[in-house]
Amino acid sequence: FVAREGFSLLAMDYSQMELRIMADIARDKLLIQDFVNGLDIHTATAARVLEKKMSEITPKERSLGKTVNFGMIFGQTPFGLSRLLGIEREIAGGYIQAYFDNYKGVEEYMRKTEYEAFEKGYVQSMFGTTRNVSGIRSRNQRARAAAAREAINMPIQGSEADIMKLIMVKISEYVIESCKEDAFLLLQIHDEIIMEVKDEIVNSVAKDIKEIMLNSVTLSVPLDVHISIGKKLSDLK
């Protein structure tokens, strides 16, 4: 994918959006404080799970922290985490327990969400988007477990999807009002927006779009947006 002559591609990417939403939904005090303090979340998690100082965490251990963090979003089990990390199930279970010992709000959110999903048969995003998870009442243990993971995950990823739709509407309105024919909304890839913008205004548009993305939604943690500009899609990082 290559920008037209006289244009550049502009990528605007939310940083760790799912984890920020999880911190907000779960009201986990420690996770919220980490984001407020601008800590590297994966390093902080690895340090707590492995009982080390953040300064002692290696890149490999940070990767472990990242896997554990995102595993929580999907309701990861010791078996699933052990397969991802290539470790014994007991060790993976220990990592999950250590995570819950530190991030008590996340564990409470997961248990509460499972219970409410069982009672109601559905879960909702923070904006009210609804997903049926009636399988959580199934007699089949595997089906129940899968539905429970869906119930834990949907409010987080569903809220992210809602936010991205809201952002795209606001960006479209901005383009129509401020730079029609000079800027185009091309793609939405997960938590990233890609635009094609005239070279002369790409930096000012990037600044304006970043403000829209940062200020259209208010969470209990600060949002962060990464900007990347290039002539082709592979240039964007």
Side-chain angles (χ1 to χ4, degrees):
F1 294 92
V2 180
R4 288 174 291 173
E5 185 175 351
F7 284 76
S8 291
L9 297 181
L10 167 65
M12 311 289 293
D13 184 11
Y14 277 118
S15 174
Q16 300 172 335
M17 189 60 161
E18 291 168 332
L19 293 174
R20 293 173 194 269
I21 291 173
M22 182 171 74
D24 181 84
I25 291 178
R27 291 290 188 267
D28 188 281
K29 294 180 180 179
L30 185 56
L31 196 53
I32 290 172
Q33 196 60 48
D34 284 351
F35 277 118
V36 170
N37 290 338
L39 297 185
D40 182 288
I41 297 301
H42 303 317
T43 300
T45 295
R48 294 185 180 114
V49 167
L50 299 173
E51 297 183 345
K52 290 185 173 184
K53 296 179 180 179
M54 287 185 63
S55 59
E56 298 173 342
I57 296 300
T58 66
K60 184 177 180 180
E61 290 170 335
R62 181 186 182 276
S63 179
L64 180 150
K66 182 176 182 179
T67 301
V68 172
N69 273 331
F70 284 107
M72 294 305 102
I73 294 173
F74 292 93
Q76 193 65 264
T77 63
F79 175 73
L81 185 62
S82 69
R83 293 186 64 183
L84 282 174
L85 294 174
I87 59 177
E88 295 294 328
R89 184 173 177 177
E90 292 75 17
I91 297 174
Y95 288 160
I96 291 176
Q97 186 56 55
Y99 182 94
F100 288 148
D101 288 343
N102 285 281
Y103 303 102
K104 299 182 185 300
V106 175
E107 182 180 26
E108 184 178 347
Y109 157 75
M110 293 171 69
R111 303 297 167 250
K112 179 181 177 182
T113 302
E114 281 189 54
Y115 176 78
E116 290 184 351
F118 182 85
E119 290 293 307
K120 298 177 181 178
Y122 65 87
V123 288
Q124 293 180 305
S125 74
M126 61 174 63
F127 294 89
T129 299
T130 304
R131 176 166 182 164
N132 186 341
V133 286
S134 56
I136 202 167
R137 300 173 181 169
S138 172
R139 293 183 178 181
N140 182 286
Q141 183 178 359
R142 181 169 293 182
R144 286 199 311 273
R149 291 193 295 272
E150 290 175 13
I152 291 167
N153 176 254
M154 185 276 171
I156 298 168
Q157 289 201 310
S159 295
E160 181 183 36
D162 290 342
I163 290 171
M164 295 307 295
K165 292 181 180 71
L166 172 65
I167 292 301
M168 284 189 284
V169 169
K170 289 184 175 292
I171 291 175
S172 294
E173 292 172 348
Y174 163 81
V175 168
I176 292 171
E177 294 173 5
S178 304
C179 47
K180 194 174 183 180
E181 305 303 327
D182 292 332
F184 301 88
L185 181 59
L186 297 184
L187 292 169
Q188 177 245 329
I189 306 173
H190 197 45
D191 53 8
E192 180 179 23
I193 296 292
I194 297 179
M195 302 180 67
E196 186 180 48
V197 185
K198 266 193 174 178
D199 290 331
E200 304 90 83
I201 62 170
V202 66
N203 289 314
S204 62
V205 168
K207 182 180 178 181
D208 291 342
I209 299 299
K210 182 174 182 178
E211 286 300 311
I212 291 173
M213 294 177 71
L214 290 177
N215 298 313
S216 294
V217 179
T218 301
L219 303 179
S220 56
V221 298
L223 296 177
D224 187 28
V225 175
H226 173 72
I227 300 172
S228 183
I229 299 172
K231 288 298 181 180
K232 54 182 183 290
L233 200 61
S234 60
D235 292 337
L236 305 178
K237 298 178 181 180

